[in-house]
Amino acid sequence: MNTKVQPLRIGFIGLGIMGRSMAGHLLAAGHELRVYNRSRDKADELVARGARWCDSPGEVAAGSEMVITMVGYPADVEQVYLGQGGIVERAAAGTLLVDMTTSSPSLARRIAMAARARGCGALDAPVSGGDVGAREARLSIMVGGEQADFDRALPVLSLMGTNTVLLGGPGNGQHTKMCNQIVIASTIVGVTEGLVYARRAGLDPATVLQAIGGGAASGFQLNVLGPRIIGGDFAPGFFIEHFLKDLGIALGEAEQMGLELPGLALARGLYERMAERGLGRDGTQALIKLYQA
Ligand code: NAP
């Protein structure tokens, strides 16, 4: 990370698979980092590198010029922002609040309104690119909010991603992330079925990947998750339980729009069966287990 930026006091809440790598890039770029996570041990590495541990989301917010969150579910987002003693309550006027969790568009709008009432800016800025994209600072970042807040956040967001796009007002980042998840939902089903078919046809799946991975079927699901599927590596880059959360948000939004999305509904049904089998903490590539059972 060689990009020179004006050092800021940045708060980072949520240091899981994605957040830990993302926060690390900010630290590497010379920013002053204050961190909090539900389980403290996940902050150890960043604290050893110079980040300062805080005991609550509110404490993070109180000392930061910009607060970034990367927690799990909308309920977590609501708690850290709007809960008692949370970010919105404790942030000083002028603080910029950026939620990068995949969450609901309506919650993003509520947070933006609450932030504005306290003199703060707020952006919803969910990401795509997976654990690899987070580690390599190559995320796509989909932003909803005001142009001035976007301009202010861009130098910092650019330390974590290579493709940061403003899509309109509050909530539109989350709507765009839902478009992304709708595409992925049917794609991962296709990748899984392609590999199941390859095996049954007596082909070597790795050679099939080599053949089709550079053609029209190529993409993250095939080229990154395909080898994990073939190698039997089902460790989470992206938890099935988080994917189910996203598919639920997308289907709920579609329903409100009077939109029927049968591919999305099919994918959700398959992943629900995985969760019922206790596989919610596997990575999304574990879908092949359904076909092997
Ligand atoms: P993760 O590993 O579960 O990370 C979430 C972190 O947030 C966990 O460390 C969790 O603490 C912490 N957290 C949750 N609620 C909290 C709260 N109320 N206060 C403080 N910390 C809290 O999940 P992830 O894979 O990094 O994903 C994070 C978000 O990004 C999710 O919304 C996911 O859908 C989205 N996303 C993930 C990917 C991916 O490929 N992984 C890609 C794009 C978007 P604990 O350590 O105690 O659990």
Side-chain angles (χ1 to χ4, degrees), residues 45-110:
E45 189 199 320
L46 289 165
V47 169
R49 287 172 56 195
R52 177 171 151 200
W53 171 261
C54 295
D55 284 324
S56 69
E59 192 186 324
V60 170
S64 299
E65 295 162 272
M66 182 174 186
V67 180
I68 298 176
T69 48
M70 191 56 166
V71 292
Y73 295 86
D76 301 316
V77 174
E78 182 159 9
Q79 187 198 345
V80 297
Y81 278 95
L82 303 175
Q84 210 180 0
I87 297 169
V88 170
E89 199 179 300
R90 299 280 309 276
T95 309
L96 182 55
L97 315 179
V98 184
D99 181 33
M100 305 188 79
T101 316
T102 305
S103 176
S104 81
S106 58
L107 178 57
R109 287 192 292 270
R110 275 173 55 212

Side-chain angles (χ1 to χ4, degrees), residues 130-144:
D131 53 340
V132 185
R135 274 199 303 277
E136 297 179 356
R138 283 194 294 105
L139 294 168
S140 278
I141 307 177
M142 301 151 247
V143 188

Side-chain angles (χ1 to χ4, degrees), residues 13-20 36-42 57 70-77 79-80 100-103 126-132 139 177 180-181 220 236-239 241-243 245-246 281:
I13 298 167
L15 305 170
I17 294 175
M18 299 293 285
R20 211 174 330 166
Y36 173 73
N37 188 69
R38 190 170 49 197
S39 313
R40 183 172 176 159
D41 59 315
K42 297 212 176 129
M70 191 56 166
V71 292
Y73 295 86
D76 301 316
V77 174
Q79 187 198 345
V80 297
M100 305 188 79
T101 316
T102 305
S103 176
V127 307
S128 180
D131 53 340
V132 185
L139 294 168
K177 174 70 186 183
N180 185 79
Q181 298 310 74
F220 185 97
F238 182 38
F239 291 119
E241 61 188 22
H242 280 162
F243 196 34
K245 171 248 313 173
D246 299 352
R281 301 284 288 176

Side-chain angles (χ1 to χ4, degrees), residues 192-282:
T192 303
E193 295 190 353
L195 291 175
V196 168
Y197 180 97
R199 278 206 182 113
R200 188 60 65 88
L203 299 166
D204 171 40
T207 315
V208 170
L209 254 195
Q210 195 188 333
I212 69 174
S218 66
F220 185 97
Q221 304 302 306
L222 185 70
N223 299 76
V224 176
L225 297 188
R228 293 185 198 176
I229 295 171
I230 292 168
D233 171 8
F234 302 122
F238 182 38
F239 291 119
I240 284 175
E241 61 188 22
H242 280 162
F243 196 34
L244 271 169
K245 171 248 313 173
D246 299 352
L247 302 184
I249 295 170
L251 278 164
E253 294 291 330
E255 197 181 330
Q256 280 180 34
M257 297 171 198
L259 197 60
E260 220 180 298
L261 299 175
L264 179 61
L266 173 73
R268 180 167 71 165
L270 295 174
Y271 277 105
E272 273 171 348
R273 280 166 56 192
M274 301 286 291
E276 282 159 16
R277 290 177 193 193
L279 300 170
R281 301 284 288 176
D282 272 9

